[in-house]
Amino acid sequence: MADTAHPLSVLKQLQLESALQLLEQAGALLPDAEPYSVDWLQGVVDALADLSNRDPLTGLGNRRSFEMALEREIDRVARAGEPALLLVLDIDHFKAVNDQHGHALGDEVIKSVAVAVAGAVRPMDTVARIGGEEFGVVLPNCPPSFGPTVAERIRSEVERSSVALSMTERIGVTVSLGGAFAPQWVRSSPLLWAERADRQLYRAKAEGRNRACFEPQTESVVSADEKSMLFAIIPQEGA
């Protein structure tokens, strides 16, 4: 015998209490629709998906959303040849902040940097917290000549910000940045791209911190691994 249960009654059998509690705790707004209707349920699913891609401390994207953005840009650069920049940045001397002032103040420093970085880039760019005190920025359609400009804007915005220690004392914050452009027309990988940017971040720290370093634009930015991808022999059908 066919099941003639009304769709709404079927939806109401779903156990959503934990999910709704999670959304309420995160301050997410539920859709303005009849509870357990299709539109309402879709809104709940969308809110959960958004929450799963957000860093709870800063509200920025998390590592999952960052890696998805890298995948999208790698594909776009390979297909269309559009320039795309990856910046990775790290808060300078962050361990000393935690050791001297405690983790609560460390969290405030991270939130302050998040606000400064997000305010220094375009709405189309992806800003994510990808580690304890490390952030990543994916900038699609970013010409090489613009890379140092945006990196300097981020660096200076962070340097201008500060976090209150007390009513009369504030602590300054700086970041070091590393930048790398995705090789155009090459089916690269997010890992190789991130490794390039990381190398420049390490160089910025070694050279004194509170600065940005980029791969030299006069040299090829295609690594040996990426060249093997570019020149790999693709088997033909029926071969």
Side-chain angles (χ1 to χ4, degrees):
M1 184 175 182
D3 185 359
T4 59
H6 191 277
L8 183 59
S9 65
V10 174
L11 292 177
K12 286 184 176 180
Q13 296 177 28
L14 295 174
Q15 304 298 314
L16 298 178
E17 289 78 10
S18 296
L20 296 177
Q21 184 178 12
L22 180 63
L23 292 176
E24 181 180 4
Q25 184 181 29
L29 296 177
L30 292 178
D32 184 17
E34 180 184 356
Y36 288 91
S37 65
V38 172
D39 289 343
W40 181 87
L41 187 60
Q42 184 63 59
V44 170
V45 171
D46 291 344
L48 288 171
D50 181 71
L51 189 61
S52 72
N53 286 318
R54 298 253 166 227
D55 171 56
L57 179 63
T58 64
L60 298 177
N62 57 17
R63 177 170 282 277
R64 181 187 297 109
S65 64
F66 172 72
E67 291 176 349
M68 290 172 62
L70 287 182
E71 289 277 5
R72 287 195 303 269
E73 289 313 307
I74 284 288
D75 182 65
R76 191 197 313 274
V77 171
R79 288 185 295 102
E82 295 182 1
L85 171 63
L86 168 60
L87 292 173
V88 290
L89 55 137
D90 194 82
I91 301 174
D92 296 327
H93 304 296
F94 184 72
K95 183 178 184 301
V97 172
N98 275 339
D99 291 345
Q100 295 174 22
H101 305 291
H103 290 277
L105 186 78
D107 285 350
E108 293 303 314
V109 168
I110 290 172
K111 289 191 286 186
S112 174
V113 170
V115 171
V117 175
V121 298
R122 305 165 298 181
M124 65 187 289
D125 301 326
T126 298
V127 183
R129 181 184 176 207
I130 57 177
E133 68 271 25
E134 189 175 2
F135 297 80
V137 187
V138 183
L139 300 102
N141 194 22
C142 179
S145 60
F146 185 65
T149 301
V150 68
E152 173 57 23
R153 187 164 66 224
I154 292 172
R155 189 205 64 77
S156 60
E157 283 293 324
V158 173
E159 189 176 38
R160 280 197 292 268
S161 65
S162 61
V163 177
L165 284 173
S166 65
M167 294 293 292
T168 59
E169 189 179 4
R170 302 186 69 85
I171 182 174
V173 185
T174 64
V175 294
S176 300
L177 304 97
F181 284 87
Q184 294 169 281
W185 308 109
V186 176
R187 183 68 62 179
S188 183
S189 74
L191 178 60
L192 292 171
W193 194 10
E195 286 178 350
R196 283 211 182 113
D198 279 337
R199 283 197 294 270
Q200 299 309 310
L201 172 61
Y202 299 148
R203 184 161 72 93
K205 286 186 170 292
E207 292 181 3
R209 295 184 171 87
N210 191 24
R211 66 191 64 208
C213 288
F214 284 79
E215 288 178 323
Q217 291 302 305
T218 56
E219 298 179 6
S220 172
V221 296
V222 180
S223 70
D225 289 337
E226 287 161 337
K227 284 179 181 177
S228 68
M229 295 179 183
L230 177 61
F231 297 111
I233 298 175
I234 301 174
Q236 297 182 355
E237 292 185 5

